[in-house]
Amino acid sequence: MNLLTIDDNIDTTEALTDYCNMHGIDSKVVNEGQKGLFEIQKREYDVIFLDIAIPEYTGFDILRQLKKQNVRHKSIVIITALNLKMEDFSDYVDVGVKEILKKPIGLDCLDEVLQRNMKNVRQPFLS
């Protein structure tokens, strides 16, 4: 399994990287929106964690560009500290937005999200 995290918050990206390392998940972190978009376009990921509030080129900018390019069926989980609902992302479901996680993210929640969104579950995650 491989996972991409696009988030400018170092604490969040370090926590997700540590989690992935503990579970043998290949992970990549990108801290800038435009670089994150490029990474989504060049490589397939099983799950993409996308922060909405990235400065300069936001998660919404990434989603709009994917939609404009007719990119479909990614497995994108939105991570945000904002109080957003899935209805806020109805235009991006075809791009691949699956659900929204509110920061801070607990390990149990992370386990559940990855199990729901993985294409190829190789082994169960343990907390």
Side-chain angles (χ1 to χ4, degrees):
M1 174 178 165
N2 60 355
L3 183 139
L4 172 64
T5 302
I6 305 170
D7 195 323
D8 64 311
N9 184 303
I10 301 301
D11 292 335
T12 300
T13 58
E14 285 179 356
L16 286 167
T17 299
D18 290 346
Y19 176 90
C20 289
N21 289 338
M22 287 178 7
H23 294 289
I25 298 169
D26 181 32
S27 70
K28 177 161 181 103
V29 170
V30 178
N31 299 109
E32 297 174 26
Q34 287 186 315
K35 289 181 181 178
L37 175 62
F38 176 72
E39 191 62 34
I40 291 170
Q41 293 168 329
K42 78 173 190 175
R43 182 173 174 204
E44 279 298 316
Y45 288 93
D46 296 311
V47 178
I48 300 165
F49 284 105
L50 175 61
D51 181 23
I52 287 301
I54 303 170
E56 295 177 29
Y57 200 84
T58 70
F60 279 117
D61 293 329
I62 291 170
L63 292 173
R64 278 192 289 274
Q65 189 62 31
L66 291 173
K67 188 165 181 73
K68 181 179 176 184
Q69 295 173 354
N70 205 27
V71 172
R72 297 186 178 279
H73 310 298
K74 299 293 180 179
S75 187
I76 300 172
V77 176
I78 302 299
I79 52 176
T80 181
L82 302 173
N83 194 13
L84 299 172
K85 296 180 178 105
M86 202 56 196
E87 297 86 52
D88 298 326
F89 294 92
S90 60
D91 287 342
Y92 304 111
V93 171
D94 60 337
V95 170
V97 173
K98 304 292 184 201
E99 60 187 287
I100 300 169
L101 283 182
K102 186 136 167 72
K103 292 179 183 180
I105 305 165
L107 291 179
D108 289 344
C109 182
L110 194 54
D111 284 341
E112 291 171 13
V113 166
L114 288 176
Q115 285 193 31
R116 277 194 302 270
N117 290 286
M118 283 181 42
K119 293 178 185 172
N120 301 308
V121 178
R122 295 186 192 138
Q123 65 184 43
F125 295 102
L126 304 173
S127 296

